[in-house]
Amino acid sequence: QQPVQSPQAVILREGEDAVINCSSSKALYSVHWYRQKHGEAPVFLMILLKGGEQKGHEKISASFNEKKQQSSLYLTASQLSYSGTYFCGLLTLEAGGTSYGKLTFGQGTILTVHP
Amino acid sequence: KAGVTQTPRYLIKTRGQQVTLSCSPISGHRSVSWYQQTPGQGLQFLFEYFSETQRNKGNFPGRFSGRQFSNSRSEMNVSTLELGDSALYLCASSFSARYEQYFGPGTRLTVT
């Protein structure tokens, strides 16, 4: 089942902050965040693992609430280069762990940063 | 370190034909996943391979198939192409499927 991202779109001025949310109806093993610019491939930003381990971009932070099955991506002091579509991808916990490797992506959040 | 490469970058095919797309993962990565991206459906998981074994498959018809070779390179095949198969096909590699995935530039397939 596809995770739900919100908001669908956000417009910022340089220097402003934004939060993008991602929620799931299934128990999560990990949450992955990617940014895709028009005509380019998605670029890895951050991964948050069950149990609290995080790894990713130094200027972007994120949280992972295992109980609520939610994750939020925090973009602070936005720059023009932050513009793009942000996707969360979820690895869910399923019987036997057979979902490992099957990333299910949200519909994306379009972020536009203006000067 | 070289990134994920995909060939060809662009393809135009006719309905009913078949197509094979290739993906070379980052050196040392054994997991390769394939995704279909369309404006209407977003990024959808096709399948994932690890050490030449398909471990996961998305909800796509049997016309979509793939394989992985001993050097971790992967190919994806679509037979009997339909207009709806027009999409950007992305592959992503990772050290292990549980960790971050790195995407290739994609193959843009147009079916006419």
Side-chain angles (χ1 to χ4, degrees), chain A residues 2 29-30 32 34 36 40-44 47 49 55 87 91 98-103 105-106, chain B residues 9 33 35 37 41 43 45 48 55-59 88 90 97-106:
Chain A
Q2 190 178 34
Y29 175 81
S30 64
H32 303 223
Y34 293 83
Q36 185 177 30
E40 299 179 10
V43 172
F44 167 74
I47 182 172
L49 299 166
K55 180 181 172 183
F87 294 97
L91 275 182
T98 56
S99 68
Y100 290 163
K102 182 178 178 178
L103 264 186
F105 284 94
Chain B
R9 293 293 311 279
S33 299
Y35 298 88
Q37 187 173 33
Q41 299 297 320
L43 264 169
F45 174 82
E48 184 246 342
R55 298 198 301 183
N56 276 294
K57 192 175 193 304
N59 296 324
L88 180 66
L90 293 158
R98 302 183 187 192
Y99 298 105
E100 63 271 22
Q101 297 186 10
Y102 294 90
F103 283 83

mmCIF file of all heavy atoms in Angstrom, chain A residues 2 29-30 32 34 36 40-44 47 49 55 87 91 98-103 105-106, chain B residues 9 33 35 37 41 43 45 48 55-59 88 90 97-106:
data_model
loop_
_atom_site.group_PDB
_atom_site.id
_atom_site.type_symbol
_atom_site.label_atom_id
_atom_site.label_comp_id
_atom_site.label_asym_id
_atom_site.label_seq_id
_atom_site.Cartn_x
_atom_site.Cartn_y
_atom_site.Cartn_z
ATOM 1 N N GLN A 2 0.525 2.206 -0.853
ATOM 2 C CA GLN A 2 1.358 3.370 -1.061
ATOM 3 C C GLN A 2 1.345 4.279 0.160
ATOM 4 O O GLN A 2 0.275 4.591 0.702
ATOM 5 C CB GLN A 2 0.846 4.136 -2.281
ATOM 6 C CG GLN A 2 1.756 5.235 -2.770
ATOM 7 C CD GLN A 2 1.209 5.919 -4.014
ATOM 8 O OE1 GLN A 2 0.004 6.060 -4.177
ATOM 9 N NE2 GLN A 2 2.090 6.331 -4.903
ATOM 10 N N TYR A 29 10.045 -1.004 8.554
ATOM 11 C CA TYR A 29 11.422 -1.356 8.894
ATOM 12 C C TYR A 29 12.323 -0.142 8.711
ATOM 13 O O TYR A 29 13.189 0.141 9.531
ATOM 14 C CB TYR A 29 11.919 -2.521 8.030
ATOM 15 C CG TYR A 29 13.370 -2.825 8.262
ATOM 16 C CD1 TYR A 29 13.760 -3.592 9.350
ATOM 17 C CD2 TYR A 29 14.354 -2.320 7.422
ATOM 18 C CE1 TYR A 29 15.089 -3.855 9.601
ATOM 19 C CE2 TYR A 29 15.699 -2.584 7.656
ATOM 20 C CZ TYR A 29 16.051 -3.348 8.741
ATOM 21 O OH TYR A 29 17.372 -3.597 8.989
ATOM 22 N N SER A 30 12.129 0.565 7.615
ATOM 23 C CA SER A 30 12.949 1.744 7.365
ATOM 24 C C SER A 30 12.216 2.715 6.460
ATOM 25 O O SER A 30 11.285 2.346 5.744
ATOM 26 C CB SER A 30 14.291 1.361 6.734
ATOM 27 O OG SER A 30 14.092 0.786 5.462
ATOM 28 N N HIS A 32 13.072 5.787 3.592
ATOM 29 C CA HIS A 32 14.081 6.353 2.707
ATOM 30 C C HIS A 32 13.526 7.639 2.127
ATOM 31 O O HIS A 32 12.364 7.694 1.729
ATOM 32 C CB HIS A 32 14.392 5.398 1.543
ATOM 33 C CG HIS A 32 14.848 4.038 1.958
ATOM 34 N ND1 HIS A 32 15.906 3.396 1.337
ATOM 35 C CD2 HIS A 32 14.410 3.173 2.896
ATOM 36 C CE1 HIS A 32 16.081 2.211 1.883
ATOM 37 N NE2 HIS A 32 15.187 2.051 2.834
ATOM 38 N N TYR A 34 14.204 10.615 -0.901
ATOM 39 C CA TYR A 34 14.912 10.917 -2.140
ATOM 40 C C TYR A 34 14.415 12.244 -2.689
ATOM 41 O O TYR A 34 13.276 12.639 -2.455
ATOM 42 C CB TYR A 34 14.674 9.821 -3.189
ATOM 43 C CG TYR A 34 15.283 8.491 -2.826
ATOM 44 C CD1 TYR A 34 14.618 7.622 -1.983
ATOM 45 C CD2 TYR A 34 16.537 8.123 -3.316
ATOM 46 C CE1 TYR A 34 15.181 6.407 -1.627
ATOM 47 C CE2 TYR A 34 17.106 6.912 -2.973
ATOM 48 C CZ TYR A 34 16.432 6.063 -2.131
ATOM 49 O OH TYR A 34 16.995 4.859 -1.776
ATOM 50 N N GLN A 36 14.162 14.293 -6.448
ATOM 51 C CA GLN A 36 14.298 14.145 -7.896
ATOM 52 C C GLN A 36 14.064 15.485 -8.561
ATOM 53 O O GLN A 36 13.022 16.110 -8.369
ATOM 54 C CB GLN A 36 13.302 13.100 -8.430
ATOM 55 C CG GLN A 36 13.468 12.803 -9.905
ATOM 56 C CD GLN A 36 12.529 11.716 -10.386
ATOM 57 O OE1 GLN A 36 11.427 11.539 -9.868
ATOM 58 N NE2 GLN A 36 12.947 10.949 -11.390
ATOM 59 N N GLU A 40 15.860 14.189 -14.141
ATOM 60 C CA GLU A 40 16.989 13.498 -13.531
ATOM 61 C C GLU A 40 16.508 12.320 -12.692
ATOM 62 O O GLU A 40 15.324 12.154 -12.433
ATOM 63 C CB GLU A 40 17.794 14.465 -12.655
ATOM 64 C CG GLU A 40 18.374 15.639 -13.412
ATOM 65 C CD GLU A 40 19.145 16.580 -12.511
ATOM 66 O OE1 GLU A 40 19.396 16.229 -11.328
ATOM 67 O OE2 GLU A 40 19.508 17.667 -12.987
ATOM 68 N N ALA A 41 17.449 11.487 -12.276
ATOM 69 C CA ALA A 41 17.108 10.338 -11.435
ATOM 70 C C ALA A 41 16.948 10.787 -9.982
ATOM 71 O O ALA A 41 17.513 11.800 -9.569
ATOM 72 C CB ALA A 41 18.208 9.283 -11.526
ATOM 73 N N PRO A 42 16.190 10.051 -9.203
ATOM 74 C CA PRO A 42 16.096 10.353 -7.772
ATOM 75 C C PRO A 42 17.468 10.236 -7.106
ATOM 76 O O PRO A 42 18.260 9.354 -7.441
ATOM 77 C CB PRO A 42 15.145 9.277 -7.243
ATOM 78 C CG PRO A 42 14.377 8.814 -8.432
ATOM 79 C CD PRO A 42 15.325 8.928 -9.589
ATOM 80 N N VAL A 43 17.726 11.139 -6.168
ATOM 81 C CA VAL A 43 18.998 11.155 -5.452
ATOM 82 C C VAL A 43 18.737 10.852 -3.985
ATOM 83 O O VAL A 43 17.844 11.441 -3.369
ATOM 84 C CB VAL A 43 19.686 12.531 -5.605
ATOM 85 C CG1 VAL A 43 20.906 12.626 -4.708
ATOM 86 C CG2 VAL A 43 20.068 12.774 -7.060
ATOM 87 N N PHE A 44 19.512 9.947 -3.436
ATOM 88 C CA PHE A 44 19.357 9.542 -2.039
ATOM 89 C C PHE A 44 19.659 10.723 -1.110
ATOM 90 O O PHE A 44 20.658 11.422 -1.267
ATOM 91 C CB PHE A 44 20.311 8.387 -1.730
ATOM 92 C CG PHE A 44 20.450 8.092 -0.259
ATOM 93 C CD1 PHE A 44 19.428 7.463 0.430
ATOM 94 C CD2 PHE A 44 21.592 8.452 0.422
ATOM 95 C CE1 PHE A 44 19.552 7.189 1.782
ATOM 96 C CE2 PHE A 44 21.733 8.177 1.779
ATOM 97 C CZ PHE A 44 20.708 7.555 2.448
ATOM 98 N N ILE A 47 18.241 7.857 5.090
ATOM 99 C CA ILE A 47 17.570 6.614 5.462
ATOM 100 C C ILE A 47 17.444 6.575 6.977
ATOM 101 O O ILE A 47 18.376 6.948 7.695
ATOM 102 C CB ILE A 47 18.326 5.374 4.928
ATOM 103 C CG1 ILE A 47 17.581 4.092 5.293
ATOM 104 C CG2 ILE A 47 19.751 5.333 5.437
ATOM 105 C CD1 ILE A 47 18.172 2.850 4.632
ATOM 106 N N LEU A 49 16.337 3.990 10.026
ATOM 107 C CA LEU A 49 16.084 2.579 10.289
ATOM 108 C C LEU A 49 15.328 2.389 11.591
ATOM 109 O O LEU A 49 15.473 3.186 12.525
ATOM 110 C CB LEU A 49 17.404 1.807 10.350
ATOM 111 C CG LEU A 49 18.243 1.840 9.059
ATOM 112 C CD1 LEU A 49 19.645 1.345 9.323
ATOM 113 C CD2 LEU A 49 17.575 1.000 7.997
ATOM 114 N N LYS A 55 21.123 7.842 8.547
ATOM 115 C CA LYS A 55 22.286 8.077 7.698
ATOM 116 C C LYS A 55 21.851 8.957 6.559
ATOM 117 O O LYS A 55 20.809 8.699 5.937
ATOM 118 C CB LYS A 55 22.803 6.742 7.143
ATOM 119 C CG LYS A 55 24.012 6.850 6.253
ATOM 120 C CD LYS A 55 24.407 5.468 5.765
ATOM 121 C CE LYS A 55 25.494 5.558 4.725
ATOM 122 N NZ LYS A 55 25.835 4.226 4.184
ATOM 123 N N PHE A 87 10.457 12.311 -2.485
ATOM 124 C CA PHE A 87 9.743 11.050 -2.314
ATOM 125 C C PHE A 87 10.183 10.354 -1.037
ATOM 126 O O PHE A 87 11.376 10.327 -0.716
ATOM 127 C CB PHE A 87 10.050 10.081 -3.471
ATOM 128 C CG PHE A 87 9.542 10.512 -4.810
ATOM 129 C CD1 PHE A 87 10.369 11.167 -5.701
ATOM 130 C CD2 PHE A 87 8.226 10.240 -5.179
ATOM 131 C CE1 PHE A 87 9.910 11.556 -6.941
ATOM 132 C CE2 PHE A 87 7.761 10.626 -6.420
ATOM 133 C CZ PHE A 87 8.600 11.283 -7.311
ATOM 134 N N LEU A 91 10.177 0.599 3.497
ATOM 135 C CA LEU A 91 10.346 -0.851 3.582
ATOM 136 C C LEU A 91 9.506 -1.304 4.752
ATOM 137 O O LEU A 91 9.705 -0.847 5.879
ATOM 138 C CB LEU A 91 11.808 -1.227 3.823
ATOM 139 C CG LEU A 91 12.723 -1.336 2.616
ATOM 140 C CD1 LEU A 91 14.117 -1.761 3.056
ATOM 141 C CD2 LEU A 91 12.185 -2.347 1.620
ATOM 142 N N THR A 98 9.823 -10.833 3.823
ATOM 143 C CA THR A 98 9.906 -10.917 2.363
ATOM 144 C C THR A 98 9.745 -9.569 1.691
ATOM 145 O O THR A 98 9.941 -9.457 0.495
ATOM 146 C CB THR A 98 8.839 -11.865 1.807
ATOM 147 O OG1 THR A 98 7.558 -11.422 2.256
ATOM 148 C CG2 THR A 98 9.090 -13.290 2.246
ATOM 149 N N SER A 99 9.391 -8.545 2.457
ATOM 150 C CA SER A 99 9.252 -7.242 1.829
ATOM 151 C C SER A 99 10.578 -6.507 1.763
ATOM 152 O O SER A 99 10.684 -5.477 1.136
ATOM 153 C CB SER A 99 8.242 -6.384 2.591
ATOM 154 O OG SER A 99 8.781 -6.056 3.866
ATOM 155 N N TYR A 100 11.615 -7.063 2.404
ATOM 156 C CA TYR A 100 12.902 -6.399 2.366
ATOM 157 C C TYR A 100 13.347 -6.235 0.928
ATOM 158 O O TYR A 100 13.357 -7.190 0.151
ATOM 159 C CB TYR A 100 13.943 -7.214 3.139
ATOM 160 C CG TYR A 100 13.732 -7.208 4.630
ATOM 161 C CD1 TYR A 100 14.349 -8.145 5.434
ATOM 162 C CD2 TYR A 100 12.931 -6.269 5.250
ATOM 163 C CE1 TYR A 100 14.179 -8.149 6.816
ATOM 164 C CE2 TYR A 100 12.745 -6.261 6.621
ATOM 165 C CZ TYR A 100 13.382 -7.202 7.403
ATOM 166 O OH TYR A 100 13.206 -7.200 8.743
ATOM 167 N N GLY A 101 13.699 -5.003 0.572
ATOM 168 C CA GLY A 101 14.123 -4.744 -0.789
ATOM 169 C C GLY A 101 13.010 -4.194 -1.648
ATOM 170 O O GLY A 101 13.253 -3.729 -2.746
ATOM 171 N N LYS A 102 11.789 -4.240 -1.161
ATOM 172 C CA LYS A 102 10.657 -3.759 -1.955
ATOM 173 C C LYS A 102 10.265 -2.388 -1.438
ATOM 174 O O LYS A 102 9.438 -2.247 -0.551
ATOM 175 C CB LYS A 102 9.488 -4.737 -1.820
ATOM 176 C CG LYS A 102 8.275 -4.353 -2.641
ATOM 177 C CD LYS A 102 7.190 -5.410 -2.484
ATOM 178 C CE LYS A 102 5.945 -5.030 -3.261
ATOM 179 N NZ LYS A 102 4.919 -6.069 -3.151
ATOM 180 N N LEU A 103 10.886 -1.364 -1.998
ATOM 181 C CA LEU A 103 10.579 0.000 -1.609
ATOM 182 C C LEU A 103 9.283 0.453 -2.249
ATOM 183 O O LEU A 103 9.133 0.372 -3.462
ATOM 184 C CB LEU A 103 11.697 0.945 -2.058
ATOM 185 C CG LEU A 103 12.803 1.321 -1.086
ATOM 186 C CD1 LEU A 103 13.702 2.368 -1.722
ATOM 187 C CD2 LEU A 103 12.257 1.824 0.227
ATOM 188 N N PHE A 105 6.998 3.712 -2.818
ATOM 189 C CA PHE A 105 7.162 5.160 -2.771
ATOM 190 C C PHE A 105 5.833 5.883 -2.645
ATOM 191 O O PHE A 105 4.804 5.442 -3.181
ATOM 192 C CB PHE A 105 7.880 5.648 -4.033
ATOM 193 C CG PHE A 105 9.361 5.377 -4.020
ATOM 194 C CD1 PHE A 105 9.874 4.227 -4.601
ATOM 195 C CD2 PHE A 105 10.227 6.274 -3.422
ATOM 196 C CE1 PHE A 105 11.230 3.971 -4.585
ATOM 197 C CE2 PHE A 105 11.590 6.027 -3.402
ATOM 198 C CZ PHE A 105 12.097 4.877 -3.985
ATOM 199 N N GLY A 106 5.896 7.033 -1.971
ATOM 200 C CA GLY A 106 4.755 7.933 -1.927
ATOM 201 C C GLY A 106 4.619 8.648 -3.265
ATOM 202 O O GLY A 106 5.455 8.496 -4.162
ATOM 203 N N ARG B 9 19.621 4.913 -23.086
ATOM 204 C CA ARG B 9 18.968 6.006 -22.361
ATOM 205 C C ARG B 9 17.584 6.295 -22.932
ATOM 206 O O ARG B 9 16.678 6.699 -22.207
ATOM 207 C CB ARG B 9 19.823 7.258 -22.437
ATOM 208 C CG ARG B 9 21.141 7.150 -21.695
ATOM 209 C CD ARG B 9 20.935 7.047 -20.174
ATOM 210 N NE ARG B 9 20.039 8.067 -19.670
ATOM 211 C CZ ARG B 9 20.388 9.313 -19.417
ATOM 212 N NH1 ARG B 9 21.639 9.705 -19.601
ATOM 213 N NH2 ARG B 9 19.489 10.181 -18.954
ATOM 214 N N SER B 33 17.415 -3.138 -7.979
ATOM 215 C CA SER B 33 15.959 -3.018 -8.035
ATOM 216 C C SER B 33 15.566 -2.244 -9.280
ATOM 217 O O SER B 33 16.304 -1.370 -9.735
ATOM 218 C CB SER B 33 15.426 -2.283 -6.797
ATOM 219 O OG SER B 33 15.734 -2.987 -5.615
ATOM 220 N N TYR B 35 12.373 0.024 -11.187
ATOM 221 C CA TYR B 35 11.168 0.788 -10.949
ATOM 222 C C TYR B 35 10.654 1.352 -12.269
ATOM 223 O O TYR B 35 11.427 1.656 -13.178
ATOM 224 C CB TYR B 35 11.441 1.967 -9.998
ATOM 225 C CG TYR B 35 11.918 1.543 -8.627
ATOM 226 C CD1 TYR B 35 13.272 1.355 -8.372
ATOM 227 C CD2 TYR B 35 11.012 1.323 -7.595
ATOM 228 C CE1 TYR B 35 13.713 0.961 -7.123
ATOM 229 C CE2 TYR B 35 11.450 0.927 -6.332
ATOM 230 C CZ TYR B 35 12.805 0.750 -6.116
ATOM 231 O OH TYR B 35 13.245 0.347 -4.871
ATOM 232 N N GLN B 37 8.493 4.591 -13.654
ATOM 233 C CA GLN B 37 7.992 5.903 -13.238
ATOM 234 C C GLN B 37 7.153 6.518 -14.357
ATOM 235 O O GLN B 37 7.616 6.674 -15.490
ATOM 236 C CB GLN B 37 9.139 6.853 -12.870
ATOM 237 C CG GLN B 37 8.651 8.166 -12.274
ATOM 238 C CD GLN B 37 9.770 9.041 -11.761
ATOM 239 O OE1 GLN B 37 10.866 9.050 -12.295
ATOM 240 N NE2 GLN B 37 9.494 9.791 -10.681
ATOM 241 N N GLN B 41 1.180 7.301 -12.192
ATOM 242 C CA GLN B 41 1.345 6.274 -11.154
ATOM 243 C C GLN B 41 2.552 6.494 -10.254
ATOM 244 O O GLN B 41 2.730 5.794 -9.267
ATOM 245 C CB GLN B 41 1.463 4.889 -11.808
ATOM 246 C CG GLN B 41 0.243 4.471 -12.610
ATOM 247 C CD GLN B 41 -0.984 4.335 -11.750
ATOM 248 O OE1 GLN B 41 -0.926 3.840 -10.625
ATOM 249 N NE2 GLN B 41 -2.115 4.793 -12.256
ATOM 250 N N LEU B 43 6.385 6.387 -8.859
ATOM 251 C CA LEU B 43 7.464 5.397 -8.859
ATOM 252 C C LEU B 43 6.917 4.066 -8.368
ATOM 253 O O LEU B 43 6.519 3.943 -7.224
ATOM 254 C CB LEU B 43 8.565 5.836 -7.901
ATOM 255 C CG LEU B 43 9.766 6.585 -8.452
ATOM 256 C CD1 LEU B 43 10.591 7.153 -7.321
ATOM 257 C CD2 LEU B 43 10.618 5.669 -9.309
ATOM 258 N N PHE B 45 7.505 -0.114 -7.895
ATOM 259 C CA PHE B 45 8.494 -1.187 -7.796
ATOM 260 C C PHE B 45 8.153 -2.319 -8.760
ATOM 261 O O PHE B 45 7.013 -2.786 -8.803
ATOM 262 C CB PHE B 45 8.504 -1.698 -6.356
ATOM 263 C CG PHE B 45 9.358 -2.901 -6.116
ATOM 264 C CD1 PHE B 45 10.719 -2.777 -5.913
ATOM 265 C CD2 PHE B 45 8.795 -4.178 -6.081
ATOM 266 C CE1 PHE B 45 11.512 -3.890 -5.674
ATOM 267 C CE2 PHE B 45 9.573 -5.291 -5.840
ATOM 268 C CZ PHE B 45 10.932 -5.157 -5.642
ATOM 269 N N GLU B 48 13.278 -6.910 -7.512
ATOM 270 C CA GLU B 48 14.575 -6.748 -6.897
ATOM 271 C C GLU B 48 15.356 -8.042 -6.999
ATOM 272 O O GLU B 48 14.805 -9.132 -6.793
ATOM 273 C CB GLU B 48 14.453 -6.347 -5.419
ATOM 274 C CG GLU B 48 15.791 -6.069 -4.739
ATOM 275 C CD GLU B 48 16.146 -7.062 -3.651
ATOM 276 O OE1 GLU B 48 15.258 -7.778 -3.165
ATOM 277 O OE2 GLU B 48 17.332 -7.121 -3.272
ATOM 278 N N ARG B 55 14.170 -11.637 -5.455
ATOM 279 C CA ARG B 55 13.680 -11.803 -4.090
ATOM 280 C C ARG B 55 12.322 -11.144 -3.869
ATOM 281 O O ARG B 55 11.611 -11.497 -2.948
ATOM 282 C CB ARG B 55 14.694 -11.228 -3.102
ATOM 283 C CG ARG B 55 16.035 -11.921 -3.148
ATOM 284 C CD ARG B 55 16.836 -11.640 -1.915
ATOM 285 N NE ARG B 55 17.063 -10.209 -1.741
ATOM 286 C CZ ARG B 55 17.784 -9.695 -0.767
ATOM 287 N NH1 ARG B 55 18.315 -10.495 0.143
ATOM 288 N NH2 ARG B 55 17.975 -8.394 -0.671
ATOM 289 N N ASN B 56 12.013 -10.174 -4.697
ATOM 290 C CA ASN B 56 10.740 -9.484 -4.548
ATOM 291 C C ASN B 56 10.215 -9.094 -5.914
ATOM 292 O O ASN B 56 11.005 -8.803 -6.822
ATOM 293 C CB ASN B 56 10.905 -8.202 -3.715
ATOM 294 C CG ASN B 56 10.857 -8.472 -2.234
ATOM 295 O OD1 ASN B 56 9.831 -8.863 -1.711
ATOM 296 N ND2 ASN B 56 11.967 -8.280 -1.578
ATOM 297 N N LYS B 57 8.904 -9.059 -6.027
ATOM 298 C CA LYS B 57 8.290 -8.680 -7.301
ATOM 299 C C LYS B 57 7.106 -7.782 -7.010
ATOM 300 O O LYS B 57 6.345 -8.021 -6.071
ATOM 301 C CB LYS B 57 7.845 -9.931 -8.052
ATOM 302 C CG LYS B 57 7.454 -9.685 -9.501
ATOM 303 C CD LYS B 57 7.142 -10.990 -10.205
ATOM 304 C CE LYS B 57 7.054 -10.820 -11.716
ATOM 305 N NZ LYS B 57 6.073 -9.815 -12.150
ATOM 306 N N GLY B 58 6.950 -6.743 -7.822
ATOM 307 C CA GLY B 58 5.811 -5.852 -7.681
ATOM 308 C C GLY B 58 4.610 -6.376 -8.441
ATOM 309 O O GLY B 58 4.623 -7.482 -8.988
ATOM 310 N N ASN B 59 3.570 -5.564 -8.488
ATOM 311 C CA ASN B 59 2.321 -5.985 -9.119
ATOM 312 C C ASN B 59 2.286 -5.628 -10.589
ATOM 313 O O ASN B 59 1.533 -4.748 -11.007
ATOM 314 C CB ASN B 59 1.134 -5.339 -8.398
ATOM 315 C CG ASN B 59 1.041 -5.804 -6.967
ATOM 316 O OD1 ASN B 59 1.316 -6.954 -6.655
ATOM 317 N ND2 ASN B 59 0.661 -4.901 -6.082
ATOM 318 N N LEU B 88 9.528 5.991 -17.748
ATOM 319 C CA LEU B 88 10.945 6.032 -17.411
ATOM 320 C C LEU B 88 11.217 4.805 -16.546
ATOM 321 O O LEU B 88 10.560 4.610 -15.517
ATOM 322 C CB LEU B 88 11.279 7.305 -16.637
ATOM 323 C CG LEU B 88 12.740 7.478 -16.206
ATOM 324 C CD1 LEU B 88 13.646 7.642 -17.427
ATOM 325 C CD2 LEU B 88 12.873 8.679 -15.267
ATOM 326 N N LEU B 90 13.753 2.957 -14.185
ATOM 327 C CA LEU B 90 14.910 3.250 -13.347
ATOM 328 C C LEU B 90 15.403 1.988 -12.664
ATOM 329 O O LEU B 90 14.603 1.172 -12.202
ATOM 330 C CB LEU B 90 14.525 4.266 -12.265
ATOM 331 C CG LEU B 90 14.164 5.670 -12.742
ATOM 332 C CD1 LEU B 90 13.309 6.388 -11.706
ATOM 333 C CD2 LEU B 90 15.422 6.464 -13.028
ATOM 334 N N ALA B 97 19.687 -4.817 0.134
ATOM 335 C CA ALA B 97 18.379 -4.251 -0.163
ATOM 336 C C ALA B 97 17.808 -3.432 0.986
ATOM 337 O O ALA B 97 16.918 -2.628 0.789
ATOM 338 C CB ALA B 97 17.419 -5.370 -0.535
ATOM 339 N N ARG B 98 18.326 -3.617 2.190
ATOM 340 C CA ARG B 98 17.762 -2.905 3.333
ATOM 341 C C ARG B 98 18.325 -1.496 3.450
ATOM 342 O O ARG B 98 17.839 -0.713 4.262
ATOM 343 C CB ARG B 98 18.075 -3.652 4.624
ATOM 344 C CG ARG B 98 17.555 -5.064 4.643
ATOM 345 C CD ARG B 98 17.838 -5.726 5.964
ATOM 346 N NE ARG B 98 17.486 -7.131 5.942
ATOM 347 C CZ ARG B 98 17.419 -7.895 7.015
ATOM 348 N NH1 ARG B 98 17.681 -7.386 8.197
ATOM 349 N NH2 ARG B 98 17.109 -9.165 6.913
ATOM 350 N N TYR B 99 19.317 -1.165 2.677
ATOM 351 C CA TYR B 99 19.984 0.109 2.838
ATOM 352 C C TYR B 99 19.725 1.038 1.669
ATOM 353 O O TYR B 99 18.957 0.738 0.768
ATOM 354 C CB TYR B 99 21.477 -0.118 3.071
ATOM 355 C CG TYR B 99 21.719 -0.901 4.338
ATOM 356 C CD1 TYR B 99 22.083 -2.248 4.297
ATOM 357 C CD2 TYR B 99 21.522 -0.308 5.579
ATOM 358 C CE1 TYR B 99 22.254 -2.974 5.463
ATOM 359 C CE2 TYR B 99 21.688 -1.027 6.750
ATOM 360 C CZ TYR B 99 22.059 -2.360 6.685
ATOM 361 O OH TYR B 99 22.210 -3.085 7.821
ATOM 362 N N GLU B 100 20.373 2.194 1.677
ATOM 363 C CA GLU B 100 20.069 3.222 0.681
ATOM 364 C C GLU B 100 20.333 2.691 -0.719
ATOM 365 O O GLU B 100 21.267 1.914 -0.946
ATOM 366 C CB GLU B 100 20.883 4.500 0.934
ATOM 367 C CG GLU B 100 22.381 4.354 0.814
ATOM 368 C CD GLU B 100 23.050 3.947 2.107
ATOM 369 O OE1 GLU B 100 22.353 3.382 2.991
ATOM 370 O OE2 GLU B 100 24.253 4.194 2.246
ATOM 371 N N GLN B 101 19.484 3.135 -1.623
ATOM 372 C CA GLN B 101 19.597 2.725 -3.011
ATOM 373 C C GLN B 101 20.066 3.912 -3.839
ATOM 374 O O GLN B 101 19.676 5.047 -3.610
ATOM 375 C CB GLN B 101 18.240 2.236 -3.531
ATOM 376 C CG GLN B 101 17.742 0.999 -2.786
ATOM 377 C CD GLN B 101 16.475 0.425 -3.370
ATOM 378 O OE1 GLN B 101 16.024 0.801 -4.442
ATOM 379 N NE2 GLN B 101 15.890 -0.535 -2.662
ATOM 380 N N TYR B 102 20.878 3.630 -4.821
ATOM 381 C CA TYR B 102 21.400 4.665 -5.713
ATOM 382 C C TYR B 102 20.855 4.404 -7.113
ATOM 383 O O TYR B 102 21.034 3.310 -7.660
ATOM 384 C CB TYR B 102 22.931 4.665 -5.703
ATOM 385 C CG TYR B 102 23.484 5.069 -4.356
ATOM 386 C CD1 TYR B 102 23.751 4.114 -3.380
ATOM 387 C CD2 TYR B 102 23.680 6.412 -4.043
ATOM 388 C CE1 TYR B 102 24.221 4.474 -2.125
ATOM 389 C CE2 TYR B 102 24.158 6.790 -2.790
ATOM 390 C CZ TYR B 102 24.415 5.817 -1.839
ATOM 391 O OH TYR B 102 24.867 6.187 -0.601
ATOM 392 N N PHE B 103 20.195 5.440 -7.633
ATOM 393 C CA PHE B 103 19.501 5.276 -8.905
ATOM 394 C C PHE B 103 20.392 5.590 -10.101
ATOM 395 O O PHE B 103 21.249 6.474 -10.040
ATOM 396 C CB PHE B 103 18.283 6.211 -8.958
ATOM 397 C CG PHE B 103 17.122 5.715 -8.158
ATOM 398 C CD1 PHE B 103 17.054 5.937 -6.800
ATOM 399 C CD2 PHE B 103 16.092 5.016 -8.771
ATOM 400 C CE1 PHE B 103 15.985 5.479 -6.046
ATOM 401 C CE2 PHE B 103 15.011 4.560 -8.031
ATOM 402 C CZ PHE B 103 14.957 4.789 -6.669
ATOM 403 N N GLY B 104 20.134 4.879 -11.184
ATOM 404 C CA GLY B 104 20.739 5.210 -12.461
ATOM 405 C C GLY B 104 19.936 6.310 -13.141
ATOM 406 O O GLY B 104 18.879 6.708 -12.648
ATOM 407 N N PRO B 105 20.408 6.791 -14.301
ATOM 408 C CA PRO B 105 19.725 7.892 -14.994
ATOM 409 C C PRO B 105 18.412 7.485 -15.637
ATOM 410 O O PRO B 105 17.609 8.343 -15.994
ATOM 411 C CB PRO B 105 20.747 8.312 -16.055
ATOM 412 C CG PRO B 105 21.558 7.089 -16.299
ATOM 413 C CD PRO B 105 21.635 6.370 -14.995
ATOM 414 N N GLY B 106 18.194 6.181 -15.788
ATOM 415 C CA GLY B 106 16.933 5.722 -16.351
ATOM 416 C C GLY B 106 16.976 5.502 -17.852
ATOM 417 O O GLY B 106 17.844 6.013 -18.557
#
